[in-house]
Structures are given as C-alpha cells and as structure tokens.
C-alpha cells in the first residue's frame, strides 16, 4: 500500500488561516529537503489526499507540514481539526522541484514564497548544504497579515549573516507592504539588501506559492533571459507547480 498511517505529534496554529503540525515519520521514508509528499485523511473509508511540502529536514525522525485552512476545502476543513494522537496517512514517495538538485550553484539564491509556499524553503534554510552552494541566500515571504508570517521568530533567530529574510505583509500596516514578486522585479529587493542586481548568469531563483504569482514570475524570468529547470536539464530558476493543490 503506498500510504501508511502516521500519528499526529503536535499542532501549532499561526493565524486563523494557517497552522503547522508534525507527524511520526514512516519507516524507510526518504526525501530530499525541499520536496513534497501526498498526505491525507480517511473519511467514511475514503482517503482524501493532497500534496504538502515538507518543512522538516531529512535528518529528523518526524515530518513537519504547514497548511492553510480553507473552510470548504475537502481536506483542509478536516485537517485543521487534527490533534495529537490522531491519524494522518502519508504516501511512501516524496518528489518535487525545489531541491538543491534543481538549480545550479551560484552567487545569490532568491527564494520567493507566498503563504504556505514558505514550507519547502524552511527545510532548505535549515540545511547547512545550502550555504555551501551559494554566497548569499534571500528568503522573501509575502502574506496578507503579520500573523501569517509562520516561523518568523525561528528564521530571525538563525543569526546567519548570509541569510537575508524579508517578510512582507500586504493587507495591514507593516514596514514592507509590497509583494515579494514586485520587489524582486523592480530591483528594490537586491538594492535594499546591498546585493548586485539579479543576474541569470550568476544568481538563482526558487518560487513557491500562489499559482498566479508563480505564473507571473515564470513569465517575467523567461522574458528576462532566465532558464527554468525541466526534464532536459538544470536551469537557473525553478518553481513548484504541484503547490496548486495545497489550497484545497
């Protein structure tokens, strides 16, 4: 059977719309930092499952996830109710295009996330191997309200001079009210950090989050001479298309 029954270990609410949780890790379950796996709940004997990026790193003995709550979502409307000791079903195979194997090494890595699209980037910034491949790492997390800035305290506490964390909030007063994608495209992001303008010959980009934002940035990057990673090889930017199902 491709799914195994796992136990909820903890649940943490971040806002009215977002929460994270940890599960026991299936025996022999392997994944690369930045990948996603399909998880689900059984209701009346039927499994309702969706893809979720893994927040925890591959060296942990548990699996951590970040979720949005959609009131009428077939999965998240039920998942938001889980408590320690409950069961969640986890697929045996992880995959995804936001791993270190999907972009070339380079000067600066830009990670552009909206909402729960932060999840795979949390796994990556916790991995020391990331900083061996890039001189600088920029993590931009755009949300509607400040309460949705999940893991903010942990990120700021990392105290890594090579990691630049830029939270933005678009629906309430905040020091940075712009969308992260707009900051990147305007050049304002690199300027505020004192970094050279993004260059496809030297820098790399990862994108995860709202499908409209992902498509918008993909078009912009392609038009600006960036090359996406695909089945033919490794490029200088990559996106997680599977993220579209995270919102259900």
């Amino acid at each position: 059977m491709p799914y195994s029954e796992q136990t909820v270990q903890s649940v943490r609410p971040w806002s009215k719309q977002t929460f994270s949780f940890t599960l026991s890790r299936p025996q022999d379950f392997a994944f690369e930092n930045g990948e996603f796996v399909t998880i689900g709940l059984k209701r009346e004997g039927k499994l309702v499952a969706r893809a979720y990026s893994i927040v925890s790193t591959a060296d942990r003995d548990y699996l951590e996830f970040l979720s949005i709550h959609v009131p009428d979502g077939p999965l998240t409307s039920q998942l938001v109710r889980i408590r320690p000791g409950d069961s969640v079903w986890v697929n045996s195979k992880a995959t995804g295009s936001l791993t270190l194997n999907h972009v070339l090494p380079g000067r600066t890595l830009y990670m552009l996330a909206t909402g729960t699209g932060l999840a795979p980037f949390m796994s990556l910034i916790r991995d020391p191997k990331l900083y061996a491949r890039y001189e600088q790492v920029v993590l931009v997390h755009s949300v509607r309200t400040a309460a949705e800035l999940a893991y903010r305290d942990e990120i700021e506490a990392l105290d890594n001079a090579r990691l630049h964390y830029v939270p933005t909030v678009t629906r309430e007063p905040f020091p940075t009210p712009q969308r992260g994608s707009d900051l990147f495209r305007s050049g304002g992001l690199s300027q505020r950090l004192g970094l050279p303008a993004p260059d496809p010959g030297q820098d790399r980009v990862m994108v995860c989050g709202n499908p409209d934002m992902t498509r918008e940035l993909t078009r912009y990057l392609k038009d600006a001479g960036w090359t996406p990673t695909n089945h033919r090889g490794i490029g200088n930017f990559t996106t997680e298309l599977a993220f579209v199902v995270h919102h259900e």
Side-chain angles (χ1 to χ4, degrees):
M1 185 176 181
Y3 284 85
S4 63
E5 186 177 9
Q6 301 302 315
T7 303
V8 177
Q9 297 180 342
S10 66
V11 180
R12 177 174 180 174
W14 295 100
S15 70
K16 292 180 180 179
Q17 293 80 29
T18 53
F19 61 100
S20 59
F21 56 97
T22 59
L23 306 177
S24 56
R25 181 170 173 171
Q27 187 176 10
D28 300 325
F29 179 79
F31 70 97
E32 295 289 331
N33 293 331
E35 288 189 323
F36 68 85
V37 67
T38 304
I39 65 173
L41 297 173
K42 284 192 174 179
R43 290 292 178 267
E44 299 177 353
K46 181 181 179 181
L47 180 68
V48 179
R50 297 291 185 270
Y52 272 79
S53 294
I54 304 170
V55 175
S56 49
T57 49
D59 59 349
R60 299 295 180 178
D61 61 359
Y62 58 86
L63 297 177
E64 183 178 6
F65 301 95
L66 176 63
S67 179
I68 191 172
H69 170 214
V70 179
D72 58 351
L75 177 60
T76 65
S77 62
Q78 302 299 318
L79 197 61
V80 71
R81 301 176 184 175
I82 60 172
R83 296 294 180 266
D86 291 347
S87 294
V88 174
W89 294 79
V90 178
N91 195 283
S92 60
K93 180 175 175 57
T95 188
S97 55
L98 292 175
T99 73
L100 295 183
N101 294 324
H102 280 81
V103 285
L104 296 165
R107 181 176 61 183
T108 300
L109 172 65
Y110 290 89
M111 298 174 163
L112 307 176
T114 60
T116 53
L118 174 71
F121 299 149
M122 285 303 304
S123 179
L124 288 170
I125 67 170
R126 290 166 164 173
D127 183 356
K129 291 194 293 290
L130 176 70
Y131 306 98
R133 290 173 63 95
Y134 304 99
E135 297 173 19
Q136 306 290 330
V137 176
V138 178
L139 172 60
V140 183
H141 186 204
S142 296
V143 295
R144 295 178 178 181
T145 66
E148 296 172 76
L149 291 172
Y151 302 99
R152 182 183 181 185
D153 290 345
E154 177 186 340
I155 299 169
E156 293 178 339
L158 288 176
D159 193 28
N160 186 333
R162 294 166 61 190
L163 173 64
H164 307 274
Y165 172 55
V166 183
T168 86
V169 176
T170 61
R171 298 288 180 88
E172 63 183 28
F174 196 76
T176 306
Q178 301 98 326
R179 297 192 311 158
S181 56
D182 291 342
L183 278 174
F184 177 82
R185 291 187 301 172
S186 70
L189 178 60
S190 55
Q191 289 175 8
R192 69 181 286 169
L193 297 174
L195 297 174
D199 174 8
Q202 302 185 69
D203 303 317
R204 312 291 175 244
V205 179
M206 290 181 166
V207 182
C208 189
N210 180 280
D212 290 336
M213 181 274 293
T214 299
R215 285 190 288 266
E216 175 186 283
L217 269 178
T218 296
R219 286 194 299 268
Y220 168 78
L221 289 166
K222 285 182 176 180
D223 290 345
W226 298 72
T227 303
T229 294
N230 56 35
H231 65 279
R232 292 187 297 271
I234 299 174
N236 47 35
F237 86 90
T238 185
T239 66
E240 187 53 87
L241 299 178
F243 187 80
V244 297
V245 298
H246 287 205
H247 297 278
E248 300 177 349

